[in-house]
Structures are given as C-alpha cells and as structure tokens.
Amino acid sequence: MRDNLLLDRHRADEVDDILGDLVEVYLDAHSGDGEFYNESRYRQQLAGHIKVPGWELVTARIDGRLVGYAYGFPLPAGSRWWNGIEEPYPAGFTQEDGRRTFALSELLVRPAWQRQGIARALHDELVDARPESRMTLLARPDNAPAQTAYRSWGWHRVTRLRPAWANAPLFDVLILERR
C-alpha cells in the first residue's frame, strides 16, 4: 500500500463536486470492456444509485488525484438489484428489507494504479463499516484479477445475473457473509 494514499468518505450530496472525476475513473477502469461501459449509461446508473437511502462512497486519492473509488448501498425491500438473476439460487436469497444486504456496486481503480493494494483498501474501508449481515456484488466471469481478489477476500459465487441495461454482460453474483 502506498504511504500517500488518502481515503475519504462522501455522502450523496457531495457527489456533484466530483461527478466528472468519478465518470473519468469509471471510463478509464473500463477502457476496452465494451459498449455497456459508456458515459451516458453510467451517469444514469450513478444518478439512480445515489438516491438510495444509505448510499456511501469511498474515494482514493494519491497526491490529490482521484485514482479509484468504491460505492454501494443497502438493498431495500422490492429492490430491482436481483432482476435478471438465474436459477437456481437458495430460497429467500433475493428477499430484502433494507438491512440485510449491502450491494457493492462499484469498486474501481485506474489501470495505472492497479495491483498496489488500493482496491483492497477501498473495499475494506467501505465494507468493514457496514452493519448489514451480507454483501453482494456483480463481477464479470472473465475478469480474472477481480474474481481472484474477491475470492481471496472471502467472497463466493452463488449464481449469475444479467441486468436489464442494454448490452449488459452476464455477471457472477458474489456474496460475502458477515455474521
């Protein structure tokens, strides 16, 4: 881990000031990943996610430059998060109440700063402070570095899911049980 890494928490009402930087990091981290990873769709996704009660963002800066971030939110009752899930999955798996599951929606680090412990620092800063009993995230099956990292951090695959977004890839549904 870098000595000059600064992690900072942000509320939804603080995002306007850094929105352009968040989008830039997203596009940099997903450069070459396909048409699903575009600015318009991501801005729409982020605008929707920010409105969810309990949304949290942790940013990582090195020498003042945003190099990565992680954000997520608790899944409310009736959440659309699970739309597109493939069977089989355990009974009651998709039932939410706003306190059971925290969705780690994005964990991004610019390519030039990857493999330096920044993603792990962001992950731990965001996840460790959450009260929910489990965490979930979606990871592309072909993203070997992410899959390897998540498994080493205690996550396990349950099933797959394809979001309703146009051109959305098929994702592995990963879970981290906390208690």
Side-chain angles (χ1 to χ4, degrees):
M1 175 97 69
R2 301 179 59 99
D3 291 335
N4 56 346
L5 177 67
L6 175 64
L7 299 179
D8 198 13
R9 290 181 171 278
H10 302 271
R11 299 180 318 266
D13 62 356
E14 299 171 318
V15 170
D16 283 348
D17 295 339
I18 59 171
L19 182 59
D21 292 336
L22 296 177
V23 171
E24 184 181 304
V25 169
Y26 176 87
L27 295 174
D28 192 16
H30 285 295
S31 177
D33 285 343
E35 62 186 279
F36 175 72
Y37 299 96
N38 66 73
E39 181 174 348
S40 176
R41 189 208 54 81
Y42 185 62
R43 282 181 181 271
Q44 184 180 2
Q45 171 190 304
L46 186 57
H49 288 170
I50 287 171
K51 295 175 186 172
V52 178
W55 182 90
E56 277 194 281
L57 168 71
V58 175
T59 57
R61 292 185 182 277
I62 295 179
D63 299 327
R65 181 171 187 217
L66 186 66
V67 298
Y69 61 90
Y71 82 73
F73 47 87
L75 296 180
S79 173
R80 295 182 310 168
W81 178 270
W82 300 118
N83 291 359
I85 195 167
E86 292 186 349
E87 293 190 28
Y89 53 85
F93 183 77
T94 62
Q95 294 174 351
E96 301 299 343
D97 61 7
R99 296 179 307 274
R100 176 185 187 200
T101 308
F102 183 79
L104 177 56
S105 184
E106 296 293 343
L107 176 56
L108 303 163
V109 177
R110 290 179 182 272
W113 299 99
Q114 292 175 358
R115 292 169 188 72
Q116 298 181 38
I118 296 169
R120 180 65 191 256
L122 285 164
H123 172 274
D124 291 353
E125 183 71 20
L126 184 59
V127 168
D128 289 352
R130 298 301 311 177
E132 293 82 7
S133 61
R134 72 178 188 172
M135 310 288 146
T136 189
L137 61 80
L138 304 177
R140 286 192 340 263
D142 64 345
N143 188 343
Q147 291 277 355
T148 299
Y150 291 134
R151 284 191 170 75
S152 75
W153 302 341
W155 294 79
H156 68 277
R157 181 184 175 277
V158 174
T159 187
R160 291 200 168 159
L161 183 150
R162 185 179 311 272
W165 294 97
N167 303 309
L170 184 65
F171 291 97
D172 283 341
V173 175
L174 303 183
I175 294 290
L176 177 64
E177 299 287 349
R178 303 258 308 222
R179 296 176 190 91

